[in-house]
Amino acid sequence: MSGDMRDTVRLISEVLPFRVNEYVLDQLVDWAAIPEDPIFRMVFPQRGMLPEDDIGRLAKLVDDPSAKRELRAEVRRIRAGLNPHPSGQKQLNVPTVEGTEIPGLQHKYRETVLYFPGQGQTCHSYCTYCFRWAQFVGDADLRFASPTPDPLIGYLGEHPEVSDVLVTGGDPMVMTTERLRRHLEPLLEIETVRTIRIGTKSVAYWPHRFVSDPDADDTLRLFEQIVASGRNIAVMAHFSHPRELGTDVARRALARIRGTGALVYCQAPLVAHVNDDARTWSELWRAELAAGAVPYYLFVERDTGPYEYFKVPLAKASAIYRSAYRTLPGLARTVRGPVMSATPGKVVVDGVTETAQGRFFELRLLQARDPQLIGRPFRAHYSTTAAWLDDLRLAPDTPADIVAAVRGPQP
C-alpha cells in the first residue's frame, strides 16, 4: 500500500471501525488490483468515505499529542452525523417491560426477535459498508448487547407469537462453541421458538471456524443438537462477492454446515465500488446455489455510515437485479430484491412501469411492523437519483395506511 493509502486508513479508522485478518488479506484481496479491487474496498477504508473537510480536521488533530480531547470531540461529532441507528432501530425496535428497555434485543416484526449476545459484538473482519458499524466503535450508548440470555428467555415466555430468534451482532460466530452454547441452548426450552437463525459473515471471512478451528467439530455438533430437537437452525450467510465463495475452505465450510441439517440462506447489500454490476450478482448467486445454499436477499445499502460513498440509486439497483435474475436457473430465483430494510419494514422494488400518469416504481412490503401491510403493493414516482425510501414521492393512489407507515412513526 502507498503511503497515501495508509494515511487514509489511519484517519478514517479514527471514526469508522477497521479490522482485517490474515485469511482476507492472503486469500481474498487481489493486491495486484488495488485500490480498485472490490474486496480491498470492502475491508479497507477509502478516500471518499468521509467528507474531505472532516478528513482535513482529523489530519490536523491526530498527530498532535495535546489535542486528544479535541480529537475525541471531533470523532463524536462526525459519528453523530452518520446516522448510527438507521430506521429508528434504537428508538422503535427495542422492547420494554414495565417501561424499562430490555438490553440486547430488537423486536420489529411480530414473529422474529433479534438477539445481540454481548460476547459476539465483533467480527472476524469489518465491512466498510456495515450498517452496524456503531456496534464496533466502543461507545456503549450506541451498542446493542446482552451479557446473558436471561432477559431474552423471559421476554419470549411472554410473547408466544415469536417463532424465530435471529442471533446477530457483530457476528455470533466469533464466540467459542461453549459461549455460543450458553446463548442457544436455553432457546430449546421455549416451545414456541421453532427457528434459530445465526447472522454471520464467518464463512466468507473465516471459514476455518467450521473446518479447522479447535472447536469447529463442537460447533457442528451443537447445530446437530438443535436440529435433533425439532427446530430449524438457519445460517444467514453474508456473501458480498463471488470471490468469497472461491476458496476450497469456504466451500468445505458450507458443506460441513449443511451436513448437520442446518439451512443456509445468503444475503448481502448492493453497494457501489464493490458489487454494483449484474455479472457479479449472477456469479454470486450461481456460486451459492452450487454450494447448496439458498440465495435469499439483495438488500439496498442502508442510509448510515459512509452511505454517500456506497449508495446505489434504486433505478440502477432494480436494473442490476433484473439483469442478473434473468441469467439464473430456476432454483436460484429464490432471491428477492432490491430490498430496503426501512422504518415500516422490508420494501422491495418489484420493477418500473409506464402509465398514462407517468413512470412509477412498483413497490411491495415483504415484511412490516404492521402485519396487515405485508404483501401490499404500492407505487412511487420514478426517480433516477432516489436511493432510499425517504427519497421517494409516493403515488397519489397510495393507500392511507401505507402512507402512514412510510411517513411514521418518527424516531
Side-chain angles (χ1 to χ4, degrees):
M1 293 173 60
S2 69
D4 183 62
M5 287 183 195
R6 291 196 299 272
D7 287 344
T8 296
V9 171
R10 186 168 64 103
L11 291 174
I12 296 179
S13 62
E14 291 286 339
V15 175
L16 298 170
F18 168 59
R19 186 182 194 185
V20 65
N21 66 21
E22 292 179 3
Y23 175 80
V24 174
L25 294 174
D26 295 343
Q27 301 295 318
L28 300 184
V29 174
D30 180 358
W31 290 99
I34 68 166
E36 289 79 14
D37 178 63
I39 306 295
F40 179 76
R41 285 173 164 166
M42 195 162 71
V43 293
F44 280 88
Q46 304 289 311
R47 205 87 181 182
M49 291 183 183
L50 293 179
E52 285 298 319
D53 287 349
D54 289 345
I55 292 177
R57 284 191 287 269
L58 289 171
K60 292 178 181 177
L61 296 171
V62 73
D63 290 325
D64 184 352
S66 66
K68 290 183 179 180
R69 180 177 298 179
E70 291 86 348
L71 176 61
R72 287 195 296 269
E74 180 65 14
V75 167
R76 284 195 299 271
R77 183 195 66 79
I78 296 172
R79 286 175 179 166
L82 295 177
N83 190 21
H85 287 300
S87 303
Q89 64 179 7
K90 198 168 182 65
Q91 301 92 334
L92 302 176
N93 296 357
V94 178
T96 60
V97 174
E98 297 180 352
T100 301
E101 292 186 352
I102 304 177
L105 298 190
Q106 289 188 36
H107 192 183
K108 181 177 181 179
Y109 305 128
R110 176 182 56 192
E111 67 279 1
T112 305
V113 161
L114 275 62
Y115 172 53
F116 297 76
Q119 299 91 342
Q121 301 315 306
T122 186
C123 293
H124 293 96
S125 290
Y126 294 146
C127 297
T128 46
Y129 59 72
C130 183
F131 83 95
R132 290 238 174 90
W133 61 271
Q135 289 286 103
F136 315 131
V137 296
D139 188 335
D141 292 335
L142 297 178
R143 199 170 183 230
F144 291 98
S146 179
T148 75
D150 295 346
L152 168 66
I153 300 305
Y155 185 77
L156 293 173
E158 298 296 324
H159 290 271
E161 73 276 15
V162 175
S163 61
D164 289 39
V165 174
L166 170 56
V167 187
T168 185
D171 191 328
M173 298 313 302
V174 301
M175 290 189 284
T176 65
T177 303
E178 281 310 304
R179 280 186 171 175
L180 184 63
R181 183 185 302 278
R182 288 198 288 271
H183 289 279
L184 299 188
E185 278 189 337
L187 295 172
L188 304 184
E189 303 300 319
I190 306 297
E191 185 60 31
T192 49
V193 172
R194 308 312 305 167
T195 298
I196 298 172
R197 308 185 200 179
I198 298 179
T200 183
K201 184 79 175 177
S202 56
V203 185
Y205 280 170
W206 190 252
H208 307 288
R209 180 68 186 82
F210 305 98
V211 177
S212 58
D213 274 5
D215 61 346
D217 292 346
D218 294 335
T219 296
L220 300 178
R221 284 192 287 269
L222 176 59
F223 287 4
E224 289 171 347
Q225 175 187 343
I226 294 170
V227 173
S229 76
R231 273 79 168 183
N232 286 320
I233 181 163
V235 174
M236 314 305 292
H238 186 140
F239 294 109
S240 311
H241 193 275
R243 198 182 303 164
E244 295 170 316
L245 278 160
T247 66
D248 290 340
V249 67
R251 291 190 293 268
R252 189 177 174 201
L254 285 174
R256 299 194 88 208
I257 292 168
R258 292 181 61 238
T260 68
L263 309 171
V264 181
Y265 290 87
C266 302
Q267 55 193 31
L270 171 66
V271 289
H273 310 290
V274 173
N275 56 21
D276 55 336
D277 65 275
R279 180 177 177 180
T280 295
W281 285 99
S282 177
E283 290 180 6
L284 177 61
W285 291 331
R286 285 172 173 271
E288 290 168 353
L289 179 64
V294 180
Y296 187 42
Y297 277 132
L298 179 152
F299 283 115
V300 175
E301 174 68 356
R302 284 197 182 185
D303 54 341
T304 181
Y307 175 64
E308 292 299 322
Y309 184 84
F310 284 122
K311 71 178 181 182
V312 176
L314 295 173
K316 181 178 179 179
S318 180
I320 289 172
Y321 172 81
R322 292 196 307 273
S323 295
Y325 190 84
R326 285 195 293 265
T327 70
L328 300 178
L331 289 177
R333 290 181 182 166
T334 51
V335 68
R336 297 177 283 184
V339 173
M340 294 172 277
S341 192
T343 302
K346 289 185 173 69
V347 180
V348 62
V349 181
D350 278 328
V352 178
T353 56
E354 300 275 0
T355 73
Q357 292 75 39
R359 203 173 189 190
F360 293 90
F361 287 118
E362 296 291 337
L363 308 171
R364 182 164 46 98
L365 280 155
L366 294 177
Q367 182 60 288
R369 293 181 188 276
D370 178 359
Q372 298 302 314
L373 302 181
I374 296 172
R376 298 267 301 278
F378 61 104
R379 300 187 302 165
H381 291 275
Y382 181 82
S383 166
T384 58
T385 58
W388 194 248
L389 186 62
D390 295 345
D391 301 334
L392 296 176
R393 184 165 56 95
L394 297 180
D397 59 358
T398 304
D401 54 352
I402 291 180
V403 172
V406 169
R407 292 178 177 171
Q410 296 300 315

